[in-house]
């Protein structure tokens, strides 16, 4: 969790067990830590800094290269997700009080319905696919992925309740007919959206659109999205290489179909259509292109597309930089953005946030 995370409400048993150390996350200014039979007094800032670092920096213990598709590869991307899990609890977040102007800016954003619904569907899709996995380690990692997607929904639901944001009624979240397809739609969709979301989050922070306390509250959620896309692209590479030869072309075709669906959705032709392709109805039409137009909403109306791309790519690289470089990185969206960027003029000075 970010070091400057807002004060949390104390909750009984709000603890984390980690090997030989037992630490209490949040509460009184100082807590006792038991380690190797000794005890010492540690401050909340020390604990939160350690948790935040553990969520952002990780290296596999296996030496040498990690070959995509190998057992070492599977162990690495699964352990990355499991070992970097941040144990924050949405139920005990003490949402900061906002000035009227800041609250009005927050309420005016047209993203809350789709954000809550997206996380709700993502949780069910990921967990549904996890139920089909027999490998214990991979299943644990996918179940954690689904848990964190559900926790994102809980964070957003608590936020809209705290600030009196009205949402449209949520649809019924139905189990997908093809869990693997649904899992891939969620994963590739996050690969697209996260790059822009990282940039917009940085803009919201630098422009003051979100107050610092609110930025700090959302910081763990943003970092989790980086972990999720890193896990997903490595799963795709590992899964493809472990399929029988005759099934690999089918899987490639499925990947292309998912990308075609997502492009179709994001250009607005299928606005309001369910992202898993399972026939769910009743959704309120939403603007799935918010990540491309949101810079105006967060207080950067004069920001060029070129500057937004620069910021988004820089933030994407920064958020993934702490994880083992032997793991594969998302390539499609960053490569496409770099190609587009070469065709655009350089932004004026002062376009990027500090």
């Amino acid at each position: 969790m970010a070091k400057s995370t807002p004060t949390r409400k104390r909750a009984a048993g709000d603890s984390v067990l980690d090997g030989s150390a037992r630490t209490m996350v949040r509460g009184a200014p100082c807590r006792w830590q038991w380690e190797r039979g000794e005890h010492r007094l540690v401050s909340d800032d020390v604990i939160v800094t350690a948790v935040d670092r553990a969520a952002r920096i990780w290296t596999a213990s296996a030496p040498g290269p990690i070959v995509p598709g190998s057992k070492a590869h599977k162990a690495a991307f699964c352990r990355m997700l499991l070992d970097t899990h941040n144990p924050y609890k949405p139920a005990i977040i003490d949402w900061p009080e906002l000035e009227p102007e800041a609250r009005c800016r927050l309420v005016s954003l047209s993203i809350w319905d789709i954000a809550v619904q997206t996380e709700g569907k993502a949780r069910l899709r990921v967990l549904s696919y996890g139920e089909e996995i027999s490998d214990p380690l991979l299943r644990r990692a996918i179940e954690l992925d689904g848990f964190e997607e559900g926790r994102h929904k809980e964070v957003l639901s608590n936020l809209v309740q705290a600030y009196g944001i009205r949402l449209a009624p949520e649809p019924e979240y139905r189990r997908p007919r093809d869990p693997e397809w649904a899992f891939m739609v969620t994963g590739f969709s996050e690969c697209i959206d996260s790059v822009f979301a990282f940039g917009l989050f940085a803009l919201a922070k630098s422009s003051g659109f979100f107050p610092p306390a609110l930025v700090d509250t959302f910081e763990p959620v943003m970092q989790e999205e980086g972990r999720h896309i890193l896990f997903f692209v490595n799963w795709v590479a590992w899964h493809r290489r472990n399929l029988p030869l005759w099934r690999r072309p089918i899987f490639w075709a499925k990947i292309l179909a998912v990308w075609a669906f997502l492009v179709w959705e994001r250009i607005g032709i299928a606005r309001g259509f369910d992202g898993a392709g399972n026939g769910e109805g009743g959704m309120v039409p939403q603007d799935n292109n918010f990540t491309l137009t949101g810079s105006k909403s967060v207080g950067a109306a004069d920001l060029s597309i070129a500057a937004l791309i620069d910021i988004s790519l820089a933030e994407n690289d920064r958020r993934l930089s702490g994880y083992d470089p032997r793991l594969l990185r998302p390539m499609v969206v960053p490569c496409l953005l770099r190609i587009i960027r070469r065709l655009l003029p350089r932004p004026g000075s002062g376009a990027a946030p500090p």
Side-chain angles (χ1 to χ4, degrees):
M1 192 176 302
K3 183 175 180 179
S4 53
T5 303
T7 302
R8 292 176 175 272
K9 301 172 185 176
R10 188 181 308 177
D14 182 20
S15 64
V16 179
L17 294 178
D18 184 14
S20 61
R22 180 180 187 274
T23 61
M24 298 295 291
V25 178
R26 290 300 172 191
C30 295
R31 294 292 185 187
W32 290 101
Q33 182 184 67
W34 286 265
E35 188 171 9
R36 296 187 182 92
E38 300 178 357
H39 61 272
R40 58 192 177 90
L41 195 64
V42 295
S43 69
D44 256 4
D45 282 346
V46 171
I47 295 171
V48 174
T49 299
V51 171
D52 180 60
R53 178 179 174 81
R56 296 172 183 273
I57 300 176
W58 183 89
T59 302
S61 58
I66 296 178
V67 180
S70 65
K71 291 183 179 179
H73 184 212
K74 181 194 69 176
F77 68 79
C78 289
R79 291 296 346 159
M80 181 278 300
L81 196 72
L82 293 166
D83 294 346
T84 59
H85 172 65
N86 189 324
Y88 71 87
K89 297 184 178 182
I92 59 172
I93 293 177
D94 189 9
W95 293 97
E97 184 175 349
L98 301 181
E99 296 293 334
E101 184 179 353
R103 181 186 173 278
C104 286
R105 290 199 301 268
L106 192 71
V107 172
S108 68
L109 289 176
S110 59
I111 64 170
W112 303 117
D113 292 317
I114 191 63
V116 171
Q117 293 178 22
T118 296
E119 298 295 354
K121 289 188 294 181
R123 174 186 176 276
L124 182 57
R125 293 170 182 171
V126 173
L127 293 179
S128 295
Y129 181 65
E131 292 172 1
E132 299 190 339
I133 302 300
S134 58
D135 182 279
L137 180 61
L138 181 59
R139 180 165 182 159
R140 280 182 59 203
I142 292 177
E143 287 175 345
L144 178 63
D145 191 341
F147 166 79
E148 291 181 352
E149 296 289 4
R151 190 169 62 174
H152 293 176
K153 180 180 184 296
E154 187 178 353
V155 169
L156 292 169
S157 298
N158 291 349
L159 177 143
V160 299
Q161 182 178 9
Y163 298 121
I165 301 172
R166 298 184 61 183
L167 298 181
E170 292 184 55
E172 178 184 356
Y173 300 116
R174 300 176 185 173
R175 179 185 171 87
R177 289 195 298 264
D178 184 346
E180 184 182 76
W181 165 272
F183 180 63
M184 292 169 65
V185 166
T186 294
F188 283 120
S189 181
E190 287 186 332
C191 288
I192 296 172
D193 295 337
S194 291
V195 177
F196 291 103
F198 295 156
L200 293 177
F201 188 75
L203 286 172
K205 180 179 180 179
S206 64
S207 68
F209 183 89
F210 287 159
L214 198 58
V215 169
D216 291 339
T217 299
F218 267 106
E219 177 58 34
V221 175
M222 299 302 298
Q223 191 63 30
E224 280 180 352
E225 292 295 346
R227 293 167 53 255
H228 289 179
I229 61 176
L230 190 63
F231 172 79
F232 177 74
V233 297
N234 281 273
W235 169 83
V236 170
W238 175 85
H239 184 62
R240 184 176 68 244
R241 287 169 172 81
N242 282 274
L243 289 172
L245 289 176
W246 66 271
R247 288 190 59 191
R248 294 183 190 183
I250 299 174
F251 187 70
W252 270 113
K254 203 168 192 177
I255 291 175
L256 293 176
V258 169
W259 277 104
F261 170 78
L262 292 174
V263 171
W264 180 272
E265 181 185 56
R266 276 155 179 73
I267 62 176
I269 296 176
R271 183 170 297 173
F273 187 69
D274 174 64
N278 59 7
E280 293 179 61
M283 286 187 63
V284 176
Q286 299 289 343
D287 182 7
N288 290 316
N289 296 309
F290 175 78
T291 52
L292 297 176
T293 60
S295 59
K296 295 180 180 179
S297 299
V298 298
D302 58 344
L303 191 74
S304 67
I305 294 177
L308 176 60
I309 290 176
D310 286 344
I311 295 167
S312 298
L313 289 173
E315 283 295 298
N316 182 71
D317 291 343
R318 182 182 70 82
R319 288 191 178 275
L320 300 183
S321 65
Y323 305 112
D324 196 318
R326 294 173 293 175
L327 290 175
L328 302 174
R329 263 51 177 177
M331 295 296 295
V332 174
V333 174
C335 286
L336 288 175
L337 289 179
R338 288 187 174 96
I339 292 172
I340 294 171
R341 183 64 192 85
R342 292 192 185 100
L343 304 176
L344 298 173
R346 302 300 303 178
S349 59

